[in-house]
Amino acid sequence: MYKLLLIVVMMTVWVSIHLLQVEEELAMKTLFQGKHAINRAAHAAAQQLDLEALGEGLLRLAPEEAAGAASLYLRENLRLDALGVPLPSSFLKHQVKVVVFEVVNAEQAFPYTYRNAEYDYEVTLRKPGVIMIVHMVYPRAFQVMEPIEWYIKGAAELVSG
């Protein structure tokens, strides 16, 4: 009887540890997918030139177009609706929020160092660019570990030349 009880307890422990490992691997995969989506969104935003300023010989980003491109790329890569709520085909379950979206333009002296103490982020840009910080929540699959939330950071510069 004791051996049977021991086997059941050991199987429970083994399954719990295995589920924890699977949960951790899924969390890392989600973090990487989120980071790639944010990098792509920032890069797309950083390519939105202000054509009027370009006509005057200035390399400058168009803030509205940059925000639109970043939003579109983030929505498409993470499968979100216009409000950042995951679509049924998304691997996410919680709303994704862009907490920081900054366009650094030619008005700044370059190299420009952006600092955000609230999110512990610092990046140096050599040209006009975009900074994004996005809040994501990991959708736990097995409820084995505590909830995980990330503030994923990304930045991109205008590619010229």
Side-chain angles (χ1 to χ4, degrees), residues 48-93:
Q48 305 306 310
L49 277 174
D50 181 341
L51 297 178
E52 190 173 304
L54 186 61
E56 297 171 10
L58 294 173
L59 282 179
R60 179 177 163 70
L61 299 179
E64 288 84 28
E65 287 84 356
S71 176
L72 175 66
Y73 271 72
L74 196 61
R75 285 193 328 258
E76 291 297 320
N77 280 291
L78 295 178
R79 297 185 198 112
L80 308 171
D81 68 8
L83 300 175
V85 176
L87 297 172
S89 62
S90 178
F91 58 92
L92 298 170
K93 303 286 183 252

Side-chain angles (χ1 to χ4, degrees), residues 36 38-39 56 58 60 76 83-84 86 98 100 103 117 122 129 152 159:
H36 290 304
I38 290 157
N39 285 345
E56 297 171 10
L58 294 173
R60 179 177 163 70
E76 291 297 320
L83 300 175
V98 177
V100 173
V103 175
E122 182 176 312
I152 305 173
V159 175

Side-chain angles (χ1 to χ4, degrees), residues 51-157:
L51 297 178
E52 190 173 304
L54 186 61
E56 297 171 10
L58 294 173
L59 282 179
R60 179 177 163 70
L61 299 179
E64 288 84 28
E65 287 84 356
S71 176
L72 175 66
Y73 271 72
L74 196 61
R75 285 193 328 258
E76 291 297 320
N77 280 291
L78 295 178
R79 297 185 198 112
L80 308 171
D81 68 8
L83 300 175
V85 176
L87 297 172
S89 62
S90 178
F91 58 92
L92 298 170
K93 303 286 183 252
H94 301 88
Q95 183 178 15
V96 174
K97 296 177 186 167
V98 177
V99 294
V100 173
F101 182 81
E102 298 255 349
V103 175
V104 177
N105 253 322
E107 292 83 26
Q108 303 297 331
F110 291 99
Y112 172 77
T113 300
Y114 171 85
R115 290 182 181 88
N116 188 317
E118 183 179 354
Y119 296 106
D120 190 32
Y121 187 55
E122 182 176 312
V123 64
T124 300
L125 301 175
R126 294 179 306 273
K127 297 183 242 179
V130 172
I131 292 110
M132 288 182 72
I133 301 176
V134 176
H135 178 256
M136 272 181 55
V137 177
Y138 168 64
R140 297 181 301 165
F142 303 110
Q143 312 295 323
V144 177
M145 51 191 224
E146 294 297 315
I148 300 174
E149 298 183 24
W150 300 289
Y151 287 94
I152 305 173
K153 302 148 185 139
E157 297 176 335

Side-chain angles (χ1 to χ4, degrees), residues 22-34 138 145 148 150:
V22 169
E23 189 91 84
E24 288 173 347
E25 289 175 11
L26 288 172
M28 290 307 299
K29 181 178 180 185
T30 302
L31 175 62
F32 289 144
Q33 287 178 332
Y138 168 64
M145 51 191 224
I148 300 174
W150 300 289

